[in-house]
Amino acid sequence: MEIFNHNANVNFLGMRRISVGIAVLLMLASLALIFTKGLNYGLDFTGGVSVEAAYQQPVDIGQVRQALAEHGMENAVVQSLGGTREVSIRMQPTAEMKDEKGLVNLDRVADVVTKALKAARPDVTLKSRSSVSSQVGEELRSDGTIAALFVIIGIGLYLGIRFEWRFAAAAIVTEFHDVLVTLGVIALVRREFDLTVLASVLAVIGYSINDKVVVFDRIRELFRLARKAEPEEILNRSINNTLSRTIITSLFTGITMAALYFIGGPVVHGFAITMLIGIVVGTLSSIFIASPLLLWFGVSKQDLMPKTKNDPELARRP
Amino acid sequence: MSDFPRWKYALVAVVLLLGIVYALPNAFPPVPSVQVAAVHGAPVDAALQQKVADALRKQNIAYRNLAIDGDHLVASFANADVQARASDVVRVALGDGYTVALNLTSTAPRWLGAIGARAMPLGLDLQGGVNFLMAVDQNAVIQKRRDGYADNIRDLLRQKNIRYDSVAPTGDPSQATIGVVLRSAADRSAASDAIASEYADLLVSDGPSTGDRYVLNVQARPDKLRTLAQDAITQNLSTLRNRINALGVSEPIIQKQGDSQIVVQLAGVQNPAEAKKTIGAQATLEYHPGVMDPTGALAMEAQRTGIVPPDQRLYHMRGSGRPVLVGKRVIVTGDELADAASGVDQTTGTPKVDVTLNASGAKKMLDYTSANVGKPMAVVYVERVVDTQMVDGKEVRTPKVTEEVISNATVQGVFGKQFQTTGLGSPKEASELALLLKSGSLAAPMDIVSEQVIGPSLGQDNIQKGFRAVLIGLGVVLLAAAVYYKLFGLVADIALFFNLVLLLAVMSMIGVTLTMPGIAGIVLTLGMAIDANVLICERVREELRNGSTPHAAIRAGYDKAWATILDANVTHLIAALALTTMGSGPIKGFGVTLLIGILTSMFTSVTVTHAITALIHGNRKLKTLSV
């Protein structure tokens, strides 16, 4: 079975002004979103207390919010945990939740929240509770940044050695685009940004670099084989030759992430949805953005030939 | 002829077989159980087993299995509720001589355990429990040590008859800087020489001098401060370990995280208050005068009659539980203990423990030993735990104090700052005593910065959903690959299945704890592992289109795809590696899974599929390929 016409030769490079233009717009929009709306940081980052509650009968989020507000917890963030019976509640601890020393006491948290929820609906039970100090979040943010830098530098070095600096530069710029746009979408849909989402964003980098390297590999191969190497044509052929693989792999990975999203339960929702967004963004950027960048950076046949020793005898031959 | 060498077939066969065997234990779901272990060498025998069985029967608690396993007794139950009730019943029935812990027992056949094949331990999010993240206050340790240095410097100056105005800590607490003010330049240089020659850990430099104030700046070496901070964490870890073992939690996870944090995970525990109480317990050591009682007859007598001389108290030895009489006076407390290290006595070749006291402790010890050579001296371990209970809606706090004698040795000579404890039974005993002396109390105060309670039903729910997500994700990809790439797709499917098996096997062998992010990592790995096969199949198709013969197409397909697969996987590996460097638990678990998955997938997707393909197509004349 084949979905793609293997003789197709779409002129992807021909639309590079449009495609890169859209990419730049998307990045600007993402930046604007992240700075204006901000990421909806989860408990891992903001610190505070969180409980998960389960109802026997379906419950309305507004109802839960109101029940909490009536008991002095106006700022609680209430979210559905997929389905209509389970909710997660997140807030900064109130005075009642702390012990004599001013430290959060989880038993008190449970008491206070249960009392508020039971007043409105008696069929509620708490499934889990947790508390995180804001200090943890600070460290996470710096750890996450260091990890991302580590990835970018590591991948840049590897591509610089195995390919050439232009490939490394194109890959890094495209990666930057992928991460930014993925974060932008997360900010747009107000998806909670917690630890699993951070892990997922870093995994998106790994996934999408995979995609780019496959195209780059073909570009190198075609450059070496071709006698007359017109860069634009070579790049176009490389994208077209690998197009079927790019899309099939994305579909396969997408299928598993969809399974995780629909079946894996609320704990991995954020992870799966971020990965799905990342797969779409990464696939599109592999096709539309990485190669135009490479062209602009001035990739050429000479740069990619296997390095032979400087032999004057060889150089003199026709 | 097949172009696939024989030894590679053998390799594939062996790896797959090992993979199946080591992944197998995960197929047997663990059952909730209660584990009984003896505390003071009490017997674990058939009588104990009978006692537990009777206690359970009386309360109508049905158990699945009850057996002695090595040095402990294990009873397994149908579900977590029964397990919790059973543990309460057994604890009451057995009393103080035994610890009763909640556990999960594997139902895998014994021969698997015998060859080291074990199921992955489940993370808290999959089995329920409490999780604490604690920050260690290292500045407090440095400040304590700085005050100790100041004490020592004062003593030293007094000893050398150097007059000083003041010796006081100055500046940033994390730097351990002490300012010494002297009255003349000569005094200053004398003091500087004295301090530098006595304390190698200290750096001395001249400060500004105004009028008759000559300032000397003393600072601890930065590397000394670093080791101090590291030791504090190590000591807190071992203290926590001792205390949590007493709590009766089986296989607790107590780990250092980052530079200054400790993670404690207690599976099965649902009441964080109880755990917090034990973790935050305060323990101290006290050196007391001993009582001349070589045979222990006096102590036995005192225990029997209940009559103890007014200046003495009756204690029990840790471990043996033997009664011991000890004087009430406190010579030195654990706060004054600077260090304790075990070693071997050069002259006799027997194990010993070297103890170092600080200046004030040294003085008291010197005073005591000067008058008491030949008499015993005892070390008493005191632990205070505050128990909070709700009685009639009011909080009632009852301190619970545990006091034990951990060592009772004869004073052999006059000593002060440094001394040795010898006459210990074995090097192990010596190192245990050293550890106890050091870790009786927490080296540095700790704050709980994050805590989490996960209910057991939530854990059950998570594991079911995760399992189903893996199965359905795998199933759909298997189907899609078979439809799209026909025979080659089926071969890839076999490889993908073995990739799951190998991934589980390696994770089990390394002992990775399975968590929900780990399961997400498994699913993602399965989705991405198929990529290598997609690359190979697309290459083979291309070669066929370009007019290659089927055999040549297979060979060229694998050859050309390999370079791409390698580059793609190495870059992906770099990303996974970065994830494992992230300190936090969930991300790390995910990263480790991804890392192993990438490595196993390179083997299964390339080598295993190549072996199967060669086996199918090897010696046949082919007109077409089913790809």
Side-chain angles (χ1 to χ4, degrees):
Chain A
M1 184 175 137
E2 276 186 57
I3 298 176
F4 303 94
N5 175 10
H6 52 77
N7 288 321
N9 196 3
V10 184
N11 188 2
F12 290 108
L13 269 288
M15 45 180 117
R16 60 178 178 267
R17 277 175 215 282
I18 300 166
S19 60
V20 175
I22 292 174
V24 171
L25 278 182
L26 280 178
M27 282 169 79
L28 289 177
S30 300
L31 268 179
L33 271 173
I34 294 168
F35 277 105
T36 55
K37 271 187 117 172
L39 289 169
N40 177 16
Y41 282 112
L43 187 69
D44 301 323
F45 292 93
T46 57
V49 295
S50 143
V51 296
E52 285 177 19
Y55 288 83
Q56 277 163 16
Q57 299 302 320
V59 69
D60 179 42
I61 298 277
Q63 199 184 344
V64 178
R65 219 168 267 148
Q66 199 191 337
L68 291 168
E70 277 165 14
H71 286 77
M73 290 168 272
E74 291 86 5
N75 296 324
V77 180
V78 183
Q79 281 168 327
S80 159
L81 285 173
T84 50
R85 291 187 192 160
E86 290 175 20
V87 294
S88 101
I89 301 163
R90 183 153 61 82
M91 68 189 108
Q92 292 303 317
T94 60
E96 288 173 85
M97 297 177 181
K98 294 178 179 168
D99 60 15
E100 304 83 48
K101 282 184 262 165
L103 296 171
V104 175
N105 182 323
L106 275 191
D107 293 335
R108 293 192 186 193
V109 173
D111 286 349
V112 171
V113 175
T114 313
K115 210 163 74 189
L117 295 181
K118 281 241 158 112
R121 283 278 297 267
D123 62 333
V124 66
T125 45
L126 292 195
K127 291 180 77 181
S128 82
R129 50 219 150 104
S130 54
S131 120
V132 175
S133 87
S134 56
Q135 171 197 349
V136 179
E138 284 300 312
E139 271 169 47
L140 269 181
R141 248 169 274 194
S142 74
D143 276 4
T145 316
I146 291 170
L149 282 177
F150 181 94
V151 174
I152 288 175
I153 294 171
I155 289 173
L157 273 178
Y158 181 79
L159 292 184
I161 294 167
R162 276 284 289 181
F163 290 78
E164 209 237 337
W165 73 264
R166 291 179 182 86
F167 288 82
I172 288 174
V173 173
T174 322
E175 282 309 308
F176 194 69
H177 160 270
D178 293 353
V179 172
L180 205 59
V181 174
T182 306
L183 288 178
V185 177
I186 294 171
L188 181 71
V189 298
R190 302 296 291 156
R191 170 57 68 175
E192 186 178 327
F193 191 87
D194 61 11
L195 264 186
T196 59
V197 175
L198 175 63
S200 191
V201 169
L202 292 171
V204 165
I205 303 183
Y207 175 83
S208 103
I209 197 72
N210 212 26
D211 249 14
K212 267 117 224 155
V213 167
V214 171
V215 180
F216 287 176
D217 219 70
R218 187 56 71 99
I219 293 173
R220 177 172 59 179
E221 185 186 325
L222 289 184
F223 261 122
R224 285 179 180 171
L225 285 178
R227 219 173 310 154
K228 194 167 68 68
E230 197 57 53
E232 187 171 340
E233 195 208 320
I234 298 260
L235 295 182
N236 246 337
R237 256 174 55 207
S238 304
I239 301 174
N240 278 295
N241 281 349
T242 52
L243 190 61
S244 155
R245 174 266 155 199
T246 307
I247 291 171
I248 290 293
T249 294
S250 301
L251 274 180
F252 281 1
T253 317
I255 289 171
T256 57
M257 284 301 109
L260 196 63
Y261 180 79
F262 288 112
I263 304 157
V267 185
V268 288
H269 263 176
F271 177 87
I273 195 80
T274 310
M275 206 63 216
L276 280 169
I277 298 168
I279 290 172
V280 173
V281 176
T283 306
L284 291 177
S285 73
S286 302
I287 300 172
F288 291 103
I289 301 165
S291 300
L293 285 177
L294 207 51
L295 189 66
W296 277 326
F297 288 146
V299 69
S300 70
K301 184 177 164 74
Q302 290 78 11
D303 301 323
L304 288 169
M305 292 317 282
K307 298 265 182 298
T308 43
K309 294 235 170 64
N310 264 343
D311 188 347
E313 189 65 29
L314 270 178
R316 239 176 284 131
R317 284 183 192 172
Chain B
M1 245 331 268
S2 159
D3 55 348
F4 200 74
R6 263 210 197 131
W7 67 269
K8 271 200 179 173
Y9 281 119
L11 178 76
V12 167
V14 169
V15 171
L16 293 190
L17 198 67
L18 280 178
I20 292 171
V21 169
Y22 279 89
L24 202 55
N26 297 296
F28 297 90
V31 289
S33 64
V34 166
Q35 185 179 318
V36 180
V39 181
H40 293 303
V44 176
D45 54 12
L48 178 73
Q49 189 174 342
Q50 193 56 45
K51 201 169 165 188
V52 171
D54 288 346
L56 292 174
R57 198 168 305 126
K58 220 152 103 197
Q59 297 293 325
N60 282 324
I61 297 171
Y63 53 86
R64 289 172 59 150
N65 192 19
L66 178 66
I68 293 172
D69 180 14
D71 58 353
H72 52 261
L73 181 74
V74 178
S76 54
F77 303 92
N79 60 51
D81 292 337
V82 182
Q83 175 200 32
R85 271 201 298 141
S87 96
D88 290 342
V89 169
V90 173
R91 197 167 289 150
V92 171
L94 297 183
D96 271 352
Y98 297 89
T99 61
V100 178
L102 300 179
N103 201 353
L104 284 174
T105 302
S106 169
T107 50
R110 274 180 174 270
W111 64 270
L112 280 171
I115 56 168
R118 273 178 199 90
M120 276 179 274
L122 298 180
L124 285 187
D125 51 352
L126 297 182
Q127 65 164 307
V130 296
N131 176 60
F132 295 110
L133 180 64
M134 286 178 286
V136 179
D137 184 1
Q138 290 170 321
N139 274 356
V141 188
I142 291 171
Q143 278 176 41
K144 195 171 154 192
R145 175 52 67 99
R146 181 180 66 176
D147 295 344
Y149 280 137
D151 268 357
N152 290 342
I153 291 172
R154 272 185 219 112
D155 276 359
L156 181 72
L157 295 181
R158 224 174 284 137
Q159 241 175 58
K160 304 255 176 195
N161 277 326
I162 302 169
R163 298 203 306 158
Y164 62 89
D165 265 359
S166 68
V167 175
T170 56
D172 184 359
S174 66
Q175 294 301 319
T177 320
I178 300 162
V180 182
V181 181
L182 299 121
R183 295 183 182 169
S184 73
D187 277 354
R188 182 162 73 177
S189 74
S192 167
D193 289 348
I195 294 170
S197 63
E198 185 82 2
Y199 300 105
D201 297 342
L202 297 177
L203 297 168
V204 189
S205 63
D206 287 355
S209 44
T210 48
D212 59 348
R213 283 171 54 87
Y214 293 85
V215 177
L216 189 65
N217 287 323
V218 182
Q219 194 180 6
R221 284 180 193 281
D223 54 326
K224 177 71 189 172
L225 290 181
R226 252 197 312 280
T227 32
L228 206 64
Q230 287 308 309
D231 286 354
I233 294 230
T234 318
Q235 189 175 327
N236 275 12
L237 277 175
S238 66
T239 307
L240 279 180
R241 239 171 240 135
N242 286 342
R243 291 183 184 172
I244 287 166
N245 284 341
L247 197 66
V249 177
S250 64
E251 291 156 41
I253 294 174
I254 304 154
Q255 279 170 344
K256 184 178 151 193
Q257 178 178 300
D259 276 343
S260 61
Q261 289 178 335
I262 293 177
V263 183
V264 175
Q265 295 195 337
L266 310 173
V269 173
Q270 286 300 321
N271 179 3
E274 176 74 16
K276 252 188 196 158
K277 197 178 69 193
T278 311
I279 290 169
Q282 300 201 343
T284 48
L285 285 171
E286 289 168 357
Y287 278 87
H288 287 258
V291 172
M292 292 288 270
D293 182 17
T295 59
L298 285 177
M300 293 297 269
E301 182 67 14
Q303 184 172 26
R304 200 176 56 79
T305 59
I307 302 166
V308 180
D311 61 338
Q312 293 174 10
R313 268 192 69 184
L314 187 69
Y315 290 94
H316 293 268
M317 286 298 284
R318 176 186 284 250
S320 69
R322 198 160 49 76
V324 159
L325 279 173
V326 172
K328 272 187 179 166
R329 207 187 113 205
V330 179
I331 308 164
V332 169
T333 68
D335 291 346
E336 292 162 306
L337 187 126
D339 194 20
S342 62
V344 176
D345 191 351
Q346 295 297 327
T347 48
T348 61
T350 55
K352 61 158 187 179
V353 174
D354 285 314
V355 181
T356 312
L357 298 176
N358 67 8
S360 61
K363 190 171 173 311
K364 292 182 209 162
M365 187 57 86
L366 188 69
D367 289 347
Y368 175 76
T369 52
S370 312
N372 292 287
V373 173
K375 288 186 188 163
M377 183 170 69
V379 184
V380 180
Y381 174 85
V382 188
E383 190 178 87
R384 287 184 192 82
V385 176
V386 179
D387 201 359
T388 315
Q389 276 176 328
M390 297 296 273
V391 178
D392 302 334
K394 268 190 263 170
E395 269 194 7
V396 178
R397 292 168 159 267
T398 34
K400 189 182 153 209
V401 182
T402 316
E403 291 174 305
E404 290 172 314
V405 173
I406 57 173
S407 148
N408 192 18
T410 308
V411 176
Q412 304 286 2
V414 178
F415 52 77
K417 187 164 178 278
Q418 280 181 319
F419 57 94
Q420 295 180 346
T421 302
T422 52
L424 297 156
S426 65
K428 186 165 173 273
E429 200 180 315
S431 68
E432 275 172 3
L433 177 61
L435 186 73
L436 258 182
L437 287 173
K438 265 202 299 193
S439 71
S441 54
L442 291 169
M446 286 191 291
D447 290 326
I448 295 177
V449 289
S450 146
E451 64 175 284
Q452 241 182 324
V453 185
I454 300 141
S457 64
L458 187 62
Q460 201 61 39
D461 205 30
N462 278 341
I463 204 163
Q464 267 169 12
K465 285 179 174 156
F467 185 63
R468 229 178 295 153
V470 172
L471 279 193
I472 293 181
L474 181 69
V476 178
V477 171
L478 291 183
L479 195 70
V483 169
Y484 197 71
Y485 293 117
K486 296 176 211 124
L487 182 60
F488 270 68
L490 279 175
V491 173
D493 284 354
I494 298 173
L496 192 62
F497 175 74
F498 274 113
N499 185 35
L500 179 61
V501 172
L502 276 190
L503 176 59
L504 293 179
V506 175
M507 286 171 76
S508 309
M509 275 195 265
I510 303 177
V512 177
T513 302
L514 187 65
T515 57
M516 215 46 202
I519 292 181
I522 293 177
V523 178
L524 181 61
T525 307
L526 292 180
M528 296 192 61
I530 197 82
D531 178 47
N533 296 106
V534 173
L535 278 166
I536 293 167
C537 293
E538 292 287 333
R539 267 296 183 172
V540 173
R541 281 183 176 179
E542 252 179 78
E543 294 298 323
L544 286 176
R545 277 200 293 269
N546 292 345
S548 300
T549 64
H551 280 296
I554 293 176
R555 192 174 308 136
Y558 272 93
D559 278 352
K560 288 185 178 169
W562 171 245
T564 313
I565 293 170
L566 190 68
D567 281 333
N569 277 296
V570 170
T571 43
H572 198 198
L573 215 53
I574 294 173
L577 206 62
L579 281 166
T580 61
T581 61
M582 291 282 294
S584 307
I587 299 198
K588 203 170 178 172
F590 168 74
V592 169
T593 313
L594 208 56
L595 193 75
I596 300 171
I598 294 169
L599 293 174
T600 52
S601 79
M602 277 170 83
F603 177 76
T604 52
S605 302
V606 182
T607 317
V608 173
T609 60
H610 202 174
I612 301 173
T613 312
L615 212 59
I616 297 173
H617 301 104
N619 297 318
R620 291 193 295 154
K621 277 207 157 35
L622 297 168
K623 284 221 176 76
T624 53
L625 282 178
S626 166
V627 58

